Amino acid sequence: SIKMDLLHSNGVLIIQHLQRDYRAYQDFLNFMSHVGDPRNIFSIYFPLWFQLNQVVGTKMIWVAVIGDWFNLIFKWILFGHRPYWWVQETMIYPNQSSPCLEQFPITCETGPGSPSGHAMGSSCVWYVMVTAALSYTVRWKDKSAVTLHRLTWSFLWSIFWIIQISVCISRVFIATHFPHQVILGVFAGILVAEAFEHTPAIQTASLRMYIKTNLFLFIFALGFYLVLKLLDIDLLWSVPKAKKWCANPDWINIDTTPFAGLVRNLGALFGLGLGINSEMFITSCKGKNSCKISFRILCIAASLATLQLYNFVKIPTHTEYLFYILSFCKSAAMPLTVVALVPYCVHSLMRTTEKKLN
């Protein structure tokens, strides 16, 4: 439509302005784009928070998974273009004088662009972290503590918005999103996170509930895809465009396709459910050692170190279905490691040490 083309063309002008005038901040903006990567939720934020507060850690995974699922459905409904291919195909520029947008190794994502998954994932998870941190200070009653709570509230929400704005600017700078797509992503993420502030049932969910939720999310997404495909609507229309207009074919990654994100998130949710309902979790995280600061610190350090090793596990991409299966298994192993395997090993080590000392 004319209005959408006008919105996109204005967005291109903003991208050109950022790429021209903020060149000196390129490394910082690329870094902030990595900060907003939803995969950091499982490898950095979740291990930290789960060992500090299991309620917050559990909520973080649910928010991230459901938020990313909604992001996928929205992308399929909205059919949002990405700047780096839109400027090559639009007819609004006369005499084929389309603007030149610089691309980067992280530009060429293959899914539709609206809303931004990075902006949505970043906002929903940081919203959970900020509200969790403030929940500790809101209980303070005396006057000086109330003042401190207000200062903490202002400081943490300022940090929240600084991070979200930086992530949004970074995604626009690398020409992978238009400004309206990142703004939509931020507010959609906040809505998802706020919804889970009033959903306490996830804290007591059984393994059966986790499996049912996984099946529902997968069947709904797959069914939605197949129904529209029967109507001759290709929901993977963006993949050929990304491959055609990406400046470097090596920058195209199967990990950015719509179904790759779905499988990754379903694996993470299943791994969380498996871990929380395991005997290892009950023995270690519900035992007497769970209250010790030393136990939590060791679990955080061991979890972060172990999860970094998962980055060295490269999943073969030559067969798409094999990639999805192995991606599911890898994603399930990460929360399972944080929730059950690492705490159980640390618990066993501490118990052995205590026996030797006695």
Side-chain angles (χ1 to χ4, degrees), residues 175-191:
T176 200
H177 283 296
F178 290 104
H180 69 277
Q181 295 173 343
V182 292
I183 293 172
L184 179 60
V186 168
F187 287 103
I190 291 174
L191 287 175

Side-chain angles (χ1 to χ4, degrees), residues 41-323:
I41 299 167
F42 309 118
S43 61
I44 298 176
Y45 305 140
F46 171 66
L48 283 169
W49 273 97
F50 188 82
Q51 306 302 348
L52 295 174
N53 188 316
Q54 294 168 10
V55 172
V56 178
T58 301
K59 185 193 300 181
M60 186 176 291
I61 291 290
W62 276 89
V63 166
V65 170
I66 301 301
D68 209 50
W69 183 83
F70 273 116
N71 182 263
L72 172 65
I73 301 301
F74 287 151
K75 283 180 184 293
W76 280 347
I77 293 174
L78 297 177
F79 283 82
H81 290 274
R82 293 186 185 271
Y84 74 91
W85 76 56
W86 181 82
V87 294
Q88 303 292 340
E89 298 191 342
T90 182
M91 304 298 294
I92 70 169
Y93 297 108
N95 302 323
Q96 298 181 340
S97 57
S98 58
C100 180
L101 299 182
E102 184 176 356
Q103 297 182 26
F104 303 86
I106 55 176
T107 295
C108 301
E109 297 203 6
T110 57
S114 186
S116 166
H118 279 63
M120 190 168 175
S122 175
S123 65
C124 71
V125 170
W126 278 91
Y127 188 93
V128 169
M129 291 193 286
V130 169
T131 53
L134 290 175
S135 67
Y136 289 104
T137 62
V138 75
R139 303 165 190 162
W140 299 341
K141 298 299 182 183
D142 57 274
K143 187 175 293 186
S144 60
V146 170
T147 302
L148 181 59
H149 168 71
R150 289 174 180 171
L151 290 173
T152 305
W153 187 95
S154 300
F155 173 75
L156 290 179
W157 283 116
S158 297
I159 293 295
F160 172 86
W161 284 110
I162 288 172
I163 290 174
Q164 304 320 311
I165 292 171
S166 298
V167 169
C168 289
I169 291 175
S170 72
R171 301 302 289 170
V172 174
F173 174 84
I174 64 174
T176 200
H177 283 296
F178 290 104
H180 69 277
Q181 295 173 343
V182 292
I183 293 172
L184 179 60
V186 168
F187 287 103
I190 291 174
L191 287 175
V192 172
E194 179 60 28
F196 275 89
E197 291 293 318
H198 311 285
T199 314
I202 60 174
Q203 302 298 334
T204 56
S206 63
L207 180 59
R208 179 177 293 183
M209 180 58 66
Y210 276 90
I211 293 174
K212 285 182 177 179
T213 304
N214 255 16
L215 287 174
F216 170 79
L217 296 178
F218 178 74
I219 291 172
F220 186 96
L222 182 62
F224 187 70
Y225 169 79
L226 293 175
V227 167
L228 290 185
K229 192 171 184 179
L230 288 174
L231 297 174
D232 204 26
I233 299 174
D234 183 15
L235 293 181
L236 299 181
W237 60 273
S238 59
V239 178
K241 291 182 182 293
K243 291 179 177 179
K244 181 179 180 180
W245 297 114
C246 184
N248 187 340
D250 293 334
W251 294 346
I252 297 290
N253 193 337
I254 191 175
D255 200 31
T256 65
T257 59
F259 278 112
L262 175 66
V263 170
R264 183 173 58 246
N265 287 302
L266 295 182
L269 188 62
F270 176 73
L272 175 66
L274 198 61
I276 284 182
N277 291 280
S278 68
E279 286 296 325
M280 287 189 290
F281 171 77
I282 295 171
T283 301
S284 56
C285 295
K286 297 295 184 181
K288 62 178 183 179
N289 283 330
S290 62
C291 298
K292 295 180 180 178
I293 303 255
S294 57
F295 173 80
R296 296 188 178 188
I297 292 175
L298 284 172
C299 285
I300 290 173
S303 296
L304 290 173
T306 305
L307 292 186
Q308 298 316 306
L309 297 177
Y310 281 99
N311 294 329
F312 295 101
V313 178
K314 301 301 180 183
I315 301 175
T317 58
H318 58 276
T319 304
E320 192 170 354
Y321 292 113
L322 178 62
F323 172 83

